[in-house]
Amino acid sequence: MTSKIAIFASGSGSNAENIIHYFSGNPKFEFPVILSNKSDAFVHERAKKLQIPSFTFSREQFIAGEEILLSLKNYNIDYIILAGFLLKVPEVLVKAFPDKIINIHPALLPKYGGKGMYGDNVHKAVKAAGETESGITIHYVNEQYDEGNIILQTKCALTDDDTPETIAHKVHALEYEHFPKAIEMIWG
Ligand code: GRF
């Protein structure tokens, strides 16, 4: 059985690329398509290099869900990964893929989650609060932002010298190490 996984990304897509590299040559996993809500997201360049089709949809198309579902069906998609994807997943998609959508959040949920808590905003908030640790949370996606059941959390220590940039760096390193392994664990 091969797990066919669609990746949704809104930005750079370094996690998407890392995941695809990790599973290359592994017949149990396929990544047939990358979807984005941003036509200028760098993830499209990465997709081109990786020879994986990538498409952009509008916010309206995403909320309506039908075209997205059709496209996922055309690629026989079993599971969805959100890797730096910024829109809230509509109910229609959550219902069509129950417990089959996962997200990575660049902090230790339930802290620093919810609307507006993405990318640098998260790391700035962590710094402003003087946290001594941060980390990643990989979780199932439900209809609420960042509230689905947690699959895995890993931590990194922070010092007074850390800046939002260095925190982002530490968190990204955790993401690259643990996101592919979490996928392998649940869908392998
Ligand atoms: C990651 O830190 C992810 O946790 C967050 O957005 C960032 C995406 O980075 N949700 P990239 O696009 O994978 O480089």
Side-chain angles (χ1 to χ4, degrees):
M1 260 295 271
T2 302
S3 296
K4 291 189 199 276
I5 303 175
I7 301 181
F8 285 49
S10 302
S12 160
S14 68
N15 274 286
E17 182 168 357
N18 178 57
I19 289 165
I20 289 161
H21 279 311
Y22 180 91
F23 288 105
S24 85
N26 181 338
K28 286 168 93 178
F29 290 86
E30 270 179 38
F31 298 86
V33 66
I34 294 178
L35 293 168
S36 181
N37 60 317
K38 301 258 184 218
S39 59
D40 58 352
F42 191 68
V43 71
H44 294 292
E45 303 302 320
R46 297 188 197 263
K48 227 177 274 168
K49 202 176 71 186
L50 294 161
Q51 297 184 307
I52 293 176
S54 72
F55 300 103
T56 304
F57 49 78
S58 67
R59 191 189 192 91
E60 291 69 32
Q61 282 172 312
F62 189 58
I63 291 165
E66 278 164 32
E67 285 169 83
I68 310 285
L69 282 177
L70 194 63
S71 165
L72 295 172
K73 203 170 167 209
N74 287 340
Y75 283 100
N76 293 312
I77 294 301
D78 304 303
Y79 302 106
I80 297 171
I81 293 170
L82 310 182
F85 183 69
L86 299 184
L87 297 182
K88 181 171 183 283
V89 178
E91 203 177 320
V92 55
L93 210 55
V94 176
K95 288 229 163 85
F97 288 86
D99 287 332
K100 292 178 175 177
I101 308 177
I102 63 170
N103 179 45
I104 189 159
H105 187 79
L108 297 170
L109 291 174
K111 281 182 159 183
Y112 309 105
K115 207 167 161 54
M117 275 295 159
Y118 58 87
D120 290 345
N121 294 351
V122 175
H123 308 306
K124 282 181 189 156
V126 168
K127 174 70 192 171
E131 295 283 358
T132 55
E133 60 181 22
S134 190
I136 61 168
T137 305
I138 297 167
H139 64 93
Y140 288 104
V141 171
N142 63 17
E143 287 88 345
Q144 306 306 317
Y145 272 113
D146 300 331
E147 285 182 17
N149 287 339
I150 290 174
I151 299 161
L152 179 91
Q153 287 190 308
T154 58
K155 295 177 181 176
C156 54
L158 303 179
T159 67
D160 287 348
D161 293 337
D162 271 309
T163 63
E165 290 72 31
T166 63
I167 298 172
H169 193 76
K170 288 180 177 180
V171 167
H172 256 124
L174 290 177
E175 294 182 336
Y176 299 151
E177 185 181 350
H178 296 284
F179 203 6
K181 287 182 189 159
I183 294 163
E184 198 167 30
M185 180 180 84
I186 60 172
W187 296 332

